[in-house]
Amino acid sequence: MDKFWRWVTNEAGEPAVRTLYLEGYIAESSWFDDDVTPKQFKSELYGSGSDTDDIIVKIHSPGGDCFAAARIYNMLKEYPGKISVHVDGLAASAASVIAMAGDEVCVSPVSVIMIHNPAMLIAGEVADLQVGINLLSEVKESIINAYHDKTGLSRIKIAHMMDAETWMSAHKAIELRFADRILYEALPVDMADQGFIFDQLTVTNTLLKKLPGIKARMTELTVNKGVPEPLDSKQPNDFQETLEQPANEVDQVPVAQLEKRLNLIKNWR
């Protein structure tokens, strides 16, 4: 039996948490006509305890046999407990199909998901090659089912992504809905209920967008107040004071606005 998975149970928690590790190639030997290995996998999936306990599935795999991936996908989808998939490094090809079975798909910030067309070696005459082509076309359609069910993307878009062999970073996977959450990234406590994340860069950019308006306001105030004309009878010090006074008054408007926004940045740190 080709066993490419392993289980780890953390009994420190209550209840105990079981973790399924899928590492390396998915099934060196195809599950196309294998009845023994799938039964063994399913037996270990349900275990000897409760069949409703939650399970974490950690994936780091370049892919493998699409028929094995399909069987594992089905077993995970049918499992009554919650399945949380964690893509630790790579979920490529057939491994990405398995990842779609999770009730929640979490990706490491440094992980990658890759999807592409199925491939196989075909030998024989023209009729044999055509059979292989037809098989690959149908297998592709079955894989698209898993991606479409998870992401809601159109089948045509997914097919084009597979044709192009698409690699997705963690954030791109979230954007395209192949994943739900990035691991190790938590919402700020005071903002968690609102579902938004504010950071210093966002606030600073908002402030910078305000600056053109502030500058326009300064210009308007300068025009309205006018610049005093120099008087020959005034002493140099008095003339300098006359020029400086309006400028100081104008400066008070943008400085107050900038100070208010800088306080926002300080409060959000």
Side-chain angles (χ1 to χ4, degrees), residues 62-83:
D65 179 48
C66 63
F67 297 107
R71 294 291 298 274
I72 295 172
Y73 173 90
N74 292 336
M75 292 180 198
L76 295 179
K77 291 291 283 186
E78 294 169 0
Y79 184 76
K82 179 182 177 181
I83 300 291

Side-chain angles (χ1 to χ4, degrees), residues 18-35:
R18 292 197 299 152
T19 301
L20 169 64
Y21 287 86
L22 298 176
E23 300 168 322
Y25 198 79
I26 304 296
E28 291 289 347
S29 301
S30 176
W31 282 17
F32 181 77
D33 55 355
D34 184 351
D35 294 328

Side-chain angles (χ1 to χ4, degrees), residues 45-61:
L45 173 63
Y46 283 86
S48 57
S50 171
D51 61 1
T52 60
D53 59 342
D54 297 342
I55 292 175
I56 296 175
V57 180
K58 288 184 171 289
I59 299 177
H60 177 59
S61 169

Side-chain angles (χ1 to χ4, degrees), residues 6 23 31-32 76 92 99-100 107-108 111-112 117 124 128 139 161 165-166 190 213 240-241 243 247:
R6 63 188 177 93
E23 300 168 322
W31 282 17
F32 181 77
L76 295 179
M100 299 300 101
V107 286
S108 161
S111 64
V112 176
N117 288 329
D128 297 322
V139 169
M161 292 176 66
E165 186 175 292
T166 302
D190 56 342
Q240 185 68 29
E241 181 181 351
L243 288 176

Side-chain angles (χ1 to χ4, degrees), residues 81-107:
K82 179 182 177 181
I83 300 291
S84 180
V85 171
H86 293 186
V87 179
D88 278 351
L90 175 65
S93 190
S96 69
V97 175
I98 296 175
M100 299 300 101
D103 298 303
E104 178 186 42
V105 180
C106 307
V107 286

Side-chain angles (χ1 to χ4, degrees), residues 8 38 44 58 84 90 122 155 173 224 228 263:
V8 174
E44 294 183 15
K58 288 184 171 289
S84 180
L90 175 65
I122 307 173
R155 299 181 67 86
N224 291 340
N263 284 332

